[in-house]
Amino acid sequence: MARERFDVVILGGGNAGIGVTGPVRRAGQSVAMIEASDLGGTCPNRGCTPKKLLVAAGQALHDIERAAVHHIAVGRPRLDWAALIDREKDMIKDIPTNLARAMARREVEVIKGFGTFVAPNTIRVGNRLLEGRHIVIATGSKPRPLPIPGAEHMITSDDMLRDRELPASVIFVGGGVISLEFGHVYARAGAAVTILEALPQLLPAMDTDAVARLQAESERIGIKINTGVSVQRIEPAGKRFRVIFTYAGVEQAATADRVVNGAGRVANIDSLDLAAGGVAHANDRVAVDQYLRSTSNPRVYVCGDAVPISLQLSPIATYEGDIVGRNIVAGPKYIPDYAGMATSVYTVPALAAVGATETTARQTGATIDVHVNDMRDWFSARSYAETVAWSKVIVDRASDYILGVHFVGHGSQELINIFGLAIKFGITASQLRDSVYAYPTFSADIKHMLGRA
């Protein structure tokens, strides 16, 4: 079998892989991209983009719930779930085609199929052997498999985005982002929602106080939350499913129409035959250096959800793809800088965060000032009848730099980016506090959040 030679062979056609193509094609390098499913990967086709359409519907239902505060009389809303799913599919249907056109304009050869290593510089896809001066692992992530008897009865977020029937009840196994985001949509649409989490806290990587505010709001809208539980098994119960779990040593059961794997995602690398490629890895994590390059095979770079040192977020995947592309062109000289990169959990209201949690900030030994505000009684929050409006800003006392910020509500998914810029570019708390903002806006509250009007 003849080998075809490319400067760059990319495994995966999602945000990370596409991000690589810009720098390398501008440098005139030849590129082959291998993708088994739709171009764009999870985020635009089966993740953040279609999910936000459902979240927008949940936001509309929340606004209707609060209409009486504004002296607006409305009847009980009814969500046509099937029509919502159809709208979601219609909104995203052209994304793979549009991305295919973009890759064609860049003269990237897109190959449909699964790629696997057969040598440190060679990938097999179907009956073709592709030899690359550089190989990029940009294969994204997949739902974390759970070693629970009956796990085959669980569905994933992919299935939820295809399901045109609104279930009457849903159990999420795992209290991560997927469970909370979809749980809020389902609950507001009228489904009974239960979340079972093994750890003591939902969203364990997030600030404890912020999660407590979000949990309280989740429970206010009817979501049942059980933390510190151990799921024993999942079994059919007629046309429904029963989840058996223990809490404090006592066995309990919950039954629902759907049981969802909400335990997060892991790097999708187990089928790549990394050993054949001489790519060091352990526990579904590729070992990479500061340039996102394999520590054992310098021909290989990694970007996106397959990177073990960064958050699994689509903007970060695109950013890492660009870093990898530039390192391929110029040699390993660019190091990703994750400072100031914000994240949001798109519940209604949303939780947003950037930088350190209070716990991690204190662990550094720095002397910190922690500004916590329940803003529900502030004019801005009352104007919009917010049910949650909460902030925590963590400041290093010696330098006045922002170390971390956490919001629930109060336009958090937008406001957090101001603090992300502050962290990235070294804007101090005093400078943020002394700036003049358009009024009345949530941004105008920043000076109050920092302790002085």
Side-chain angles (χ1 to χ4, degrees):
M1 187 183 299
R3 293 175 182 244
E4 304 171 58
R5 290 177 171 81
F6 293 86
D7 293 313
V8 184
V9 177
I10 303 172
L11 294 165
N15 286 350
I18 290 171
V20 175
T21 65
V24 297
R25 284 302 300 134
R26 286 193 293 272
Q29 297 194 15
S30 58
V31 180
M33 173 181 285
I34 302 168
E35 173 55 54
S37 187
D38 295 324
L39 280 178
T42 297
C43 178
N45 296 302
R46 303 177 301 279
C48 37
T49 302
K51 173 196 68 185
K52 281 300 291 291
L53 291 164
L54 272 60
V55 171
Q59 180 67 59
L61 289 169
H62 174 72
D63 292 339
I64 292 170
E65 174 205 338
R66 304 297 293 164
V69 179
H70 304 287
H71 303 285
I72 302 171
V74 295
R76 182 179 179 85
R78 186 186 69 84
L79 174 61
D80 186 336
W81 187 265
L84 176 62
I85 296 298
D86 290 345
R87 177 176 186 258
E88 169 241 313
K89 295 303 179 192
D90 182 66
M91 291 279 284
I92 66 171
K93 69 179 187 301
D94 295 327
I95 291 174
T97 301
N98 291 337
L99 290 174
R101 291 195 189 105
M103 293 300 96
R105 286 194 298 270
R106 291 183 183 179
E107 298 181 333
V108 172
E109 182 174 349
V110 177
I111 303 167
K112 189 84 168 179
F114 292 92
T116 58
F117 282 92
V118 295
N121 66 339
T122 307
I123 299 295
R124 182 194 301 276
V125 54
N127 60 0
R128 300 173 66 177
L129 288 177
L130 311 181
E131 184 178 299
R133 288 196 307 112
H134 298 282
I135 295 173
V136 179
I137 298 172
T139 45
S141 60
K142 62 181 181 179
R144 183 186 302 277
L146 292 175
I148 300 171
E152 68 274 9
H153 299 303
M154 289 191 293
I155 65 173
T156 68
S157 56
D158 289 8
D159 301 309
M160 288 188 285
L161 289 168
R162 289 192 295 262
D163 193 349
R164 297 180 75 253
E165 179 183 356
L166 176 66
S169 52
V170 183
I171 296 172
F172 290 91
V173 178
V177 173
I178 288 171
S179 299
L180 282 156
E181 291 179 340
F182 280 94
H184 269 237
V185 175
Y186 276 135
R188 294 182 187 284
V193 176
T194 299
I195 297 176
L196 303 176
E197 168 56 45
L199 296 175
Q201 176 185 307
L202 301 175
L203 301 169
M206 296 290 191
D207 184 85
T208 300
D209 294 333
V211 173
R213 298 308 185 281
L214 180 58
Q215 178 167 335
E217 176 67 3
S218 302
E219 291 171 334
R220 185 191 73 81
I221 65 172
I223 297 176
K224 295 181 180 179
I225 296 171
N226 297 273
T227 58
V229 307
S230 176
V231 174
Q232 301 300 305
R233 64 187 182 277
I234 303 167
E235 58 192 25
K239 294 183 178 180
R240 308 175 80 205
F241 299 96
R242 181 181 298 109
V243 180
I244 311 299
F245 63 96
T246 58
Y247 175 69
V250 178
E251 187 171 275
Q252 302 181 41
T255 304
D257 296 327
R258 306 277 194 279
V259 180
V260 181
N261 181 345
R265 300 176 70 86
V266 295
N268 184 23
I269 59 172
D270 55 346
S271 63
L272 298 181
D273 199 353
L274 295 176
V279 178
H281 63 286
N283 301 320
D284 293 321
R285 298 165 66 91
V286 177
V288 296
D289 64 16
Q290 60 184 339
Y291 306 108
L292 303 181
R293 186 177 53 171
S294 165
T295 58
S296 59
N297 183 350
R299 299 180 183 87
V300 174
Y301 283 86
V302 187
C303 52
D305 285 2
V307 173
I309 59 173
S310 59
L311 295 173
Q312 292 180 334
L313 299 172
S314 59
I316 292 180
T318 301
Y319 169 73
E320 290 174 341
D322 183 72
I323 291 284
V324 165
R326 288 190 282 153
N327 280 335
I328 287 172
V329 172
K333 58 189 291 187
Y334 298 102
I335 300 171
D337 176 10
Y338 300 109
M341 291 191 179
T343 183
S344 292
V345 181
Y346 292 104
T347 46
V348 180
L351 181 154
V354 66
T357 65
E358 182 177 348
T359 298
T360 56
R362 292 192 184 284
Q363 288 170 348
T364 66
T367 301
I368 60 175
D369 292 320
V370 181
H371 304 277
V372 178
N373 297 282
D374 184 343
M375 301 177 285
R376 285 175 296 176
D377 287 335
W378 294 13
F379 182 84
S380 53
R382 292 173 61 199
S383 297
Y384 287 90
E386 288 193 277
T387 52
V388 184
W390 181 90
S391 70
K392 175 187 285 189
V393 183
I394 305 161
V395 180
D396 180 85
R397 186 176 297 173
S399 66
D400 201 34
Y401 287 140
I402 305 290
L403 300 181
V405 182
H406 308 273
F407 285 107
V408 183
H410 218 60
S412 58
Q413 66 269 45
E414 301 292 344
L415 197 55
I416 197 69
N417 293 299
I418 294 177
F419 289 94
L421 286 169
I423 290 174
K424 183 174 180 63
F425 295 106
I427 302 169
T428 66
S430 296
Q431 289 170 324
L432 279 180
R433 188 166 44 223
D434 294 340
S435 295
V436 178
Y437 303 90
Y439 180 86
T441 61
F442 290 153
S443 299
D445 289 335
I446 287 175
K447 56 185 63 185
H448 299 279
M449 295 174 197
L450 288 166
R452 176 166 58 83

